Amino acid sequence: MSIQWFPGHMHLTRKAIGERVKTIDVVIEMVDARLPASSANPMLRELLQHKPNLKVLNKADLADPERTQQWLQWYGQQQQTRAVAMDSHHSAPARALIEACQALAPGRGSMDKPMRVLICGIPNVGKSTLINTMVGKRAAKAANEPGVTRREQRFALQDGFYLFDTPGVLWPRIIVAQSGYNLAAAGSIGRNAFDDELVALELLAYLQRHYAALLLARYAVAPSADALAQLPDHALLEAIGRQRGALLPGGRVNAQKTAEIILQDFRSGAIGRVTIETPAEFQAWQATGERL
Ligand code: GDP
């Protein structure tokens, strides 16, 4: 079973980005450092038309630092691409972005040749947070609610340096089955597109293989990390539910509630700094996995 997700209005966003990109010098694509490939939208590559590209692995504070280095190296091999990892709440790395843009588009950034930077990324990846950090006031999210004027799309950062927010909503596009699970685990696709329990079981199985010690530290449901890694995923979910008191009347474990706890713990970083895909794994999924 895989996650099916067909959001509407993609063609409008495609058109809007295609138009906007014509006058853009550098495109910043923000991805989630815990799932960099799955949180990218492959449509962007085709729309960017050789524009210099800066990948921002955001939420790096929640990701596994060693794996973040692997991803940075991997992106570094692509042409006209630079990659940085950051926590967009902090302004120091945000300033590093300005320098990276200047390196990608030398000669731009003056009054007569302004630098125009487009920030793209799927919902919730941290675009508004980054813009707020860079622009230095609560600029971006102001108008994301119904009835409020359309949110501002262009921000002057300094003289001759402009940031543009994604025009429209760039939904994720799932091309391999595992990406669906990873996006769901991160909370990046609508809740009614997936089953919490199934997604939590997939996540647990992955974390058992790669982060058993962190699971043990969070949930202490086995005598050792090795023993925890050996548990069947259903048994692990049940043990976590019991330990956290997620029980139904009569004492059975409430699997739905337990799944919500596990997903929430992953999203908030309570399980620790984990990254749920590597460049090699993603390439393998593309080569051999179920394609959607
Ligand atoms: P947007 O939909 O892409 O504009 O995303 P937002 O900027 O609204 O961010 C979505 C959520 O992620 C918010 O709760 C932010 O506080 C959080 N967030 C954004 N950037 C980071 C980051 O670098 N690290 C962490 N831990 N959380 C972040």
Side-chain angles (χ1 to χ4, degrees):
M1 192 176 147
S2 59
I3 292 173
Q4 301 297 328
W5 168 251
F6 299 109
H9 301 301
M10 232 11 213
H11 58 290
L12 286 179
T13 303
R14 174 193 291 260
K15 217 171 144 215
I17 294 179
E19 274 304 307
R20 174 56 55 76
V21 105
K22 290 179 188 161
T23 56
I24 287 293
D25 304 299
V26 174
V27 176
I28 293 182
E29 184 183 8
M30 293 187 84
V31 295
D32 186 325
R34 296 165 300 174
L35 48 148
S38 296
S39 58
N41 187 316
M43 180 186 88
L44 264 186
R45 188 185 301 224
E46 140 213 347
L47 287 174
L48 296 188
Q49 309 157 3
H50 314 300
K51 294 283 175 184
N53 188 353
L54 177 59
K55 297 263 183 204
V56 171
L57 279 78
N58 196 39
K59 308 197 186 185
D61 53 308
L62 300 176
D64 177 340
E66 223 171 274
R67 288 181 164 204
T68 297
Q69 286 310 316
Q70 288 178 24
W71 279 105
L72 289 175
Q73 243 176 11
W74 191 72
Y75 288 125
Q77 292 158 7
Q78 297 171 9
Q79 281 194 332
Q80 280 206 304
T81 302
R82 287 185 168 234
V84 296
M86 63 188 294
D87 168 353
S88 59
H89 290 110
H90 294 296
S91 58
R95 272 196 295 279
L97 285 191
I98 298 182
E99 287 161 26
C101 289
Q102 280 160 344
L104 279 165
R108 309 246 29 141
S110 58
M111 293 293 265
D112 48 335
K113 282 192 175 170
M115 170 83 80
R116 290 150 309 183
V117 177
L118 177 64
I119 299 189
C120 289
I122 65 172
N124 228 25
V125 76
K127 299 177 296 298
S128 315
T129 307
L130 178 67
I131 291 170
N132 286 329
T133 300
M134 291 179 86
V135 178
K137 54 182 178 315
R138 294 216 53 79
K141 204 67 178 215
N144 227 2
E145 281 144 49
V148 188
T149 353
R150 196 172 147 65
R151 76 191 225 184
E152 178 60 31
Q153 289 202 341
R154 182 185 147 196
F155 306 91
L157 203 60
Q158 57 193 43
D159 284 348
F161 200 117
Y162 298 99
L163 288 179
F164 293 82
D165 199 358
T166 309
V169 180
L170 186 71
W171 294 108
R173 194 174 114 202
I174 301 169
I175 54 168
V176 296
Q178 190 62 41
S179 288
Y181 291 114
N182 289 0
L183 285 161
S188 301
I189 54 180
R191 274 200 71 180
N192 50 12
F194 61 89
D195 174 60
D196 286 327
E197 194 181 333
L198 196 65
V199 171
L201 285 171
E202 278 286 328
L203 178 66
L204 279 181
Y206 188 89
L207 297 178
Q208 279 181 291
R209 285 200 299 281
H210 300 282
Y211 297 102
L214 290 181
L215 279 182
L216 185 67
R218 178 70 186 165
Y219 302 117
V221 292
S224 68
D226 278 348
L228 184 146
Q230 299 303 321
L231 289 172
D233 54 4
H234 279 93
L236 176 57
L237 185 126
E238 186 158 329
I240 292 171
R242 203 160 287 290
Q243 191 224 31
R244 298 290 292 266
L247 301 174
L248 294 165
R252 273 196 313 125
V253 166
N254 184 336
Q256 170 64 29
K257 180 91 185 63
T258 308
E260 286 170 20
I261 290 172
I262 293 164
L263 293 176
Q264 186 46 39
D265 282 355
F266 167 66
R267 291 170 191 164
S268 69
I271 293 176
R273 300 180 67 173
V274 301
T275 297
I276 54 176
E277 57 194 41
T278 64
E281 281 170 347
F282 190 76
Q283 281 170 308
W285 297 336
Q286 279 188 305
T288 60
E290 182 189 348
R291 287 190 75 98
L292 303 175

